[in-house]
Amino acid sequence: MPEWLVLTLAMLAACAVVVIITLVRHRTASDDEDPSETPDVIEYMTMWIGVVYAIVLGLAIAGVWEGRSAAQDHVQAEATALHEISERVRVYPPDARDRIRDDIEAYVGYVVTTEWTTMADEGHVTERGHRLFERVRQDVTDYEPKTDFQAQAYQPLLDQVTAANQARIARAESTGETMPGVVWFGLIAGAVVTIGMIFALQIRRTTREMVLAGLFSALIAFLLFLIWDFDSPYSRGVTASADPFLNLFPGAGD
């Protein structure tokens, strides 16, 4: 099911629940109930519950957005390190240089065409991707410099291999969901309590109040969907992309 459809259904469902409960409550209310006589303490509690829940939602959105940004940074760091290796091996003999570059191209091509799909669908990197990266590492580390110029380039190349490996590990660790289950429980429970406090204010069946209650519940549904969408950096709507690989290695996606 498309994510935009999930969002639309969630927002409509939230509005429908509030409207239905309001109508049912209005019909079952006693004849002597006066909606204007809401105790001041309930209004005060409703205000602070809304404020606290807004802060929690803001922190949750900031947390998942930071995780998504960090995931994109891992991709950028890995692609940049591999590109640096590919460029710096120009001081090596043609056979060693071409072998390293070919293995880097093979690795990048596999990442953007196959491993990326596995990350999105299954939430982990692949063993073949690890083997292809190890081949690049071995190409660089096993070469014995023949000249002083090559020897000077050798250690920086090892540093770039290490940087690429660290970025790959970080990418692998950020493929799953970042929000713990207990946090989701708190967010959903907080939404129920926050929306439920609307009825503590004895909402009436006027068009204005019904519209505002529906919009309020739809807004909370949208924010929860936004958190869920950002929660898995590589597999949902607003995801980290493989563009850094494709920009530095234009032929990788072919």
Side-chain angles (χ1 to χ4, degrees), residues 18 21 46 189-202 216 220:
V18 171
I21 293 177
T46 301
V192 172
V193 172
T194 302
I195 296 176
M197 290 302 294
I198 294 176
F199 305 105
L201 294 177
Q202 302 183 25
F216 179 70
I220 291 181

Side-chain angles (χ1 to χ4, degrees), residues 69-114:
S69 299
Q72 187 66 61
D73 291 342
H74 301 327
V75 177
Q76 181 68 55
E78 184 179 1
T80 301
L82 291 171
H83 184 260
E84 284 296 310
I85 295 171
S86 181
E87 292 297 319
R88 294 187 183 194
V89 294
R90 68 182 184 276
V91 302
Y92 282 11
D95 57 337
R97 178 188 62 216
D98 293 342
R99 182 176 66 255
I100 293 173
R101 287 178 173 175
D102 289 344
D103 286 343
I104 290 176
E105 289 283 350
Y107 170 73
V108 173
Y110 177 79
V111 168
V112 299
T113 59
T114 303

Side-chain angles (χ1 to χ4, degrees), residues 30-216:
S30 59
D31 295 335
D32 58 348
E33 182 181 273
D34 185 359
S36 64
E37 294 182 355
T38 301
D40 293 340
V41 66
I42 293 182
E43 294 182 359
Y44 180 80
M45 290 171 59
T46 301
M47 178 189 69
W48 276 107
I49 287 174
V51 170
V52 171
Y53 188 64
I55 294 173
V56 172
L57 280 177
L59 291 175
I61 293 173
V64 293
W65 177 256
E66 183 179 355
R68 187 265 180 198
S69 299
Q72 187 66 61
D73 291 342
H74 301 327
V75 177
Q76 181 68 55
E78 184 179 1
T80 301
L82 291 171
H83 184 260
E84 284 296 310
I85 295 171
S86 181
E87 292 297 319
R88 294 187 183 194
V89 294
R90 68 182 184 276
V91 302
Y92 282 11
D95 57 337
R97 178 188 62 216
D98 293 342
R99 182 176 66 255
I100 293 173
R101 287 178 173 175
D102 289 344
D103 286 343
I104 290 176
E105 289 283 350
Y107 170 73
V108 173
Y110 177 79
V111 168
V112 299
T113 59
T114 303
E115 188 171 66
W116 206 269
T117 303
T118 302
M119 290 166 54
D121 295 342
E122 303 178 18
H124 62 80
V125 297
T126 64
E127 184 61 29
R128 175 166 173 74
H130 178 69
R131 290 197 299 269
L132 290 174
F133 182 84
E134 285 300 312
R135 185 185 300 172
V136 174
R137 188 209 298 270
Q138 292 171 6
D139 290 342
V140 175
T141 58
D142 292 352
Y143 179 76
E144 296 182 6
K146 304 297 190 300
T147 65
D148 291 340
F149 190 30
Q150 293 176 8
Q152 292 174 4
Y154 181 74
Q155 186 57 50
L157 282 170
L158 293 184
D159 294 339
Q160 292 300 322
V161 170
T162 300
N165 183 52
Q166 291 174 341
R168 175 177 172 79
I169 293 173
R171 174 164 62 87
E173 292 177 345
S174 61
T175 53
E177 297 180 353
T178 58
M179 295 285 286
V182 65
V183 177
W184 273 115
F185 174 80
L187 290 174
I188 295 174
V192 172
V193 172
T194 302
I195 296 176
M197 290 302 294
I198 294 176
F199 305 105
L201 294 177
Q202 302 183 25
I203 183 174
R204 289 167 290 184
R205 200 176 55 177
T206 63
T207 302
R208 179 178 59 184
E209 292 184 356
M210 296 285 281
V211 170
L212 289 177
L215 291 177
F216 179 70

